[in-house]
C-alpha cells in the first residue's frame, strides 16, 4: 500500500461482530472469561483493549513497523523507552529537544544512574565522538523542537549499529508522511501523538513503533507493567485523526513554506528556521531525507525584544497563543517562557532560544489569512 491508502486502511479490519467500519470504543476495563485463563484474546485493558489494538496496528503500519504502542502521552512513551536501560548506561541525545524530554532526562532519570550527553547532531561525527563503552541509546529528535535542526538519520543509525547501540527517533515534527525512520535504520520511532498523528488538539497521547519482535516484547512488557497506556476513547479519536494524516500534512507543508517565505522576506524578522528554506543550515540533508518540510517553523525578531515579542503574540487573531502543535488550527508559542522554560536560561540562549524566538505551528487554514494575521502584528512592533 502507498501512504495515502495506508493511513486509512493499514492493518485495519471491519469490526468482526457487526461489520462496523469504524472500530467501536470498547469502553471496558475488563473482559469475561469462561474458565480461568480462557478468554477471547483480551483480559484486562491495561494489557490490551480492542480499540487501542486497532490504533496500535495503524501506528505500526504508517511507520512501516511490525508493532505499535499507544501511551497516555508522548512523555509516557519516552519513559517506556528509557526503562529499557540500566543504571550506569549512557544516552547520547540532541542538544535541541522538546523541553519536557530534556526535563525527563535530567530531572527524572539521572538520579537512577543514567547519564545523558547532549550533542549537536547537525554533524554525525559529534555523535561518534561522544560514544563510550557504556553508551546504550542514541536519542534523535529531527527536526528539533523548537529550532528545526535536522539530523542525518541514516548516518547516525549506521554509527549506532556499528557500536551495537539502540537508536530512537522522535518523529513528532516530521510524521511518517515526511520521513520513516525505521526505513532509515532506527530501532524505535517515538511520537507525541498529541500532535500531527491525532491532528485535532483533542487528545494527549504517545506512540512507539518498532520492527523487531524482541524489542516489541520488551516494550510491551514495560507498557503493561508500567501502566502508561492510552484509553479507548482517546484511541478512537487518534485513529480517526490518523486517517487524514496524509491530506492534512500536504496542506501543512504548503502553508508552512508560504509562511516561512513571507517571514524570511519581512524587514522586521532577523531569522527564520524552516528546513525548506535554502538559508536553513541543514537544508541539504532535509531535502535528501524528507519528502517535504512540514508545518513547523520558528523565527526571531530584529532587536530580540521580549516586549515586542509579547505584543506580537498578544495581538494575533487567527493564530492562537498556546503550547502544543500539529493540530488543524495554527498556534503560536513562546519557547523561552512556555514549552522550553524547563531548560536553564544559559543553555537555552547558547542554542538560540532567545527572548524573541517565536514558534509557529502552521495549520491548514487559508494561507492568505495566516500571512495577513502575521503581517498585521508585525506592524505593531
Ligand atoms: O506532550 P506529550 O504528548 O507528552 O509529548 C511530549 C513531546 C515529545 N516530543 C516532542 C517533539 C514534543 O513536541 C512533545 C510535546 N511538545 C509540546 C507540548 C510543545 O508544545 O512543544
Amino acid at each position: 500500500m502507498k501512504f495515502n491508502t495506508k493511513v486509512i486502511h493499514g492493518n485495519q479490519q471491519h469490526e468482526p461482530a457487526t461489520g462496523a467500519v469504524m472500530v467501536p470504543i470498547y469502553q471496558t476495563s475488563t473482559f469475561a472469561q469462561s474458565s480461568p485463563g480462557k478468554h477471547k484474546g483480551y483480559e484486562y485493558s491495561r494489557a490490551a483493549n480492542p480499540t487501542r489494538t486497532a490504533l496500535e496496528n495503524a501506528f505500526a503500519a504508517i511507520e512501516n513497523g511490525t508493532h505499535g504502542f499507544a501511551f497516555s502521552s508522548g512523555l509516557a512513551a519516552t519513559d517506556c523507552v528509557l526503562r529499557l536501560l540500566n543504571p550506569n548506561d549512557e544516552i547520547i541525545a540532541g542538544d535541541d529537544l522538546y523541553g519536557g524530554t530534556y526535563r525527563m532526562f535530567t530531572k527524572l532519570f539521572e538520579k537512577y544512574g543514567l547519564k545523558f550527553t547532549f550533542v549537536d547532531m547537525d554533524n554525525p561525527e559529534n555523535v561518534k565522538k561522544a560514544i563510550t563503552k557504556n553508551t546504550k541509546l542514541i536519542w534523535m529528535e529531527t527536526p528539533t523542537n523548537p529550532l528545526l535542526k535536522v539530523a542525518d538519520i541514516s548516518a547516525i543509525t549506521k554509527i549506532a549499529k556499528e557500536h551495537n547501540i539502540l537508536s530512537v527517533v522522535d518523529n513528532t515534527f516530521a510524521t511518517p508522511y515526511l520521513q520513516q525512520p525505521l526505513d532509515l535504520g532506527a530501532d524505535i520511532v517515538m511520537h507525541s501523538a498529541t500532535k500531527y498523528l491525532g491532528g485535532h488538539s483533542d487528545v494527549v497521547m504517545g506512540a512507539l513503533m518498532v520492527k523487531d519482535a524482541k524489542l516489541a516484547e520488551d516494550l510491551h512488557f514495560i507498557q503493561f507493567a508500567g501502566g502508561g497506556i492510552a484509553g479507548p476513547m482517546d484511541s478512537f479519536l487518534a485513529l480517526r485523526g490518523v486517517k487524514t494524516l496524509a491530506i492534512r500534512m500536504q496542506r501543512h507543508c504548503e502553508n508552512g513554506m508560504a509562511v516561512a517565505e513571507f517571514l524570511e522576506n519581512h524587514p522586521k524578522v532577523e531569522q527564520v528556521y524552516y528546513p525548506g528554506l535554502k538559508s536553513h543550515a541543514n537544508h541539504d540533508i532535509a531535502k535528501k531525507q524528507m519528502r517535504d518540510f512540514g508545518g513547523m517553523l520558528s523565527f526571531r525578531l530584529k532587536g530580540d525584544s521580549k516586549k515586542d515579542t509579547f505584543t506580537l503574540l498578544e495581538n494575533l487573531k487567527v493564530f492562537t497563543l498556546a503550547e502544543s502543535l500539529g493540530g488543524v488550527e495554527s498556534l503560536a508559542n513562546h519557547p523561552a517562557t512556555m514549552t522550553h522554560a524547563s531548560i536553564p536560561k544559559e543553555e537555552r540562549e547558547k542554542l538560540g532560544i532567545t527572548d524573541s524566538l517565536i514558534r509557529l505551528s502552521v495549520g491548514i487554514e487559508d494561507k492568505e489569512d495566516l500571512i495577513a494575521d502575521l503581517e498585521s502584528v508585525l506592524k505593531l512592533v
Side-chain angles (χ1 to χ4, degrees), residues 104-276:
M104 174 183 284
F105 288 178
T106 55
K107 295 281 192 314
L108 290 187
F109 279 98
E110 271 184 353
K111 69 179 178 202
Y112 295 110
L114 296 185
K115 188 177 161 226
F116 296 87
T117 306
F118 298 97
V119 304
D120 182 351
M121 291 198 173
D122 275 19
N123 182 355
E125 282 302 308
N126 293 339
V127 176
K128 206 179 214 169
K129 277 191 229 142
I131 292 173
T132 74
K133 64 178 188 341
N134 292 331
T135 306
K136 294 285 156 45
L137 191 102
I138 293 174
W139 187 278
M140 282 169 260
E141 189 181 287
T142 180
T144 61
N145 180 359
L147 292 171
L148 285 300
K149 288 165 51 156
V150 177
D152 184 335
I153 299 173
S154 298
I156 294 173
T157 58
K158 186 163 170 276
I159 295 168
K161 281 195 174 40
E162 282 162 12
H163 293 83
N164 217 7
I165 297 168
L166 217 52
S167 58
V168 186
V169 174
D170 179 339
N171 204 25
T172 300
F173 270 33
T175 84
Y177 177 81
L178 298 179
Q179 67 191 17
Q180 288 159 310
L182 297 179
D183 291 349
L184 302 175
D187 297 303
I188 303 174
V189 172
M190 176 265 154
H191 279 269
S192 170
T194 314
K195 319 301 186 214
Y196 289 104
L197 299 191
H200 296 77
S201 306
D202 51 9
V203 168
V204 174
M205 188 184 283
L208 296 178
M209 297 81 161
V210 298
K211 58 176 184 182
D212 175 82
K214 173 68 172 73
L215 196 50
E217 192 185 320
D218 292 350
L219 291 171
H220 180 254
F221 176 77
I222 298 168
Q223 184 195 38
F224 167 66
I229 49 144
M233 178 71 196
D234 285 355
S235 296
F236 175 86
L237 289 170
L239 183 60
R240 185 188 218 237
V242 165
K243 288 173 194 286
T244 56
L245 176 67
I247 195 157
R248 283 185 285 109
M249 285 309 292
Q250 202 174 342
R251 178 71 72 83
H252 282 299
C253 292
E254 181 188 328
N255 287 0
M257 181 60 97
V259 170
E261 283 174 344
F262 162 76
L263 290 171
E264 187 168 52
N265 292 317
H266 197 284
K268 290 185 181 159
V269 172
E270 174 75 30
Q271 196 174 351
V272 181
Y273 300 87
Y274 183 68

Side-chain angles (χ1 to χ4, degrees), residues 72-76 78 97-101 141 143 145 170 172-173 190-195 204-206 322-325 333 339-340 359:
S72 54
S73 68
L75 287 180
T78 300
L97 292 174
Y98 167 56
T101 306
E141 189 181 287
N145 180 359
D170 179 339
T172 300
F173 270 33
M190 176 265 154
H191 279 269
S192 170
T194 314
K195 319 301 186 214
V204 174
M205 188 184 283
E323 300 208 11
S324 204
L325 58 109
N333 164 53
T339 49
H340 292 71
R359 188 191 73 187

Side-chain angles (χ1 to χ4, degrees), residues 322-366:
E323 300 208 11
S324 204
L325 58 109
V328 290
E329 65 287 301
S330 292
L331 300 181
N333 164 53
H334 186 240
T337 56
M338 294 166 68
T339 49
H340 292 71
S342 58
I343 299 175
K345 188 173 165 66
E346 202 180 285
E347 292 292 314
R348 260 194 277 122
E349 296 200 336
K350 236 193 304 173
L351 281 167
I353 308 174
T354 60
D355 281 347
S356 80
L357 189 80
I358 293 171
R359 188 191 73 187
L360 299 180
S361 172
V362 181
I364 64 170
E365 302 94 336
D366 284 304

Side-chain angles (χ1 to χ4, degrees), residues 26-31 43-50 52 229-230 232:
Y26 283 92
Q27 196 71 46
T28 185
S29 58
T30 193
F31 300 83
E43 295 164 85
Y44 185 58
S45 283
R46 174 156 37 72
N49 171 286
R52 195 175 95 225
I229 49 144

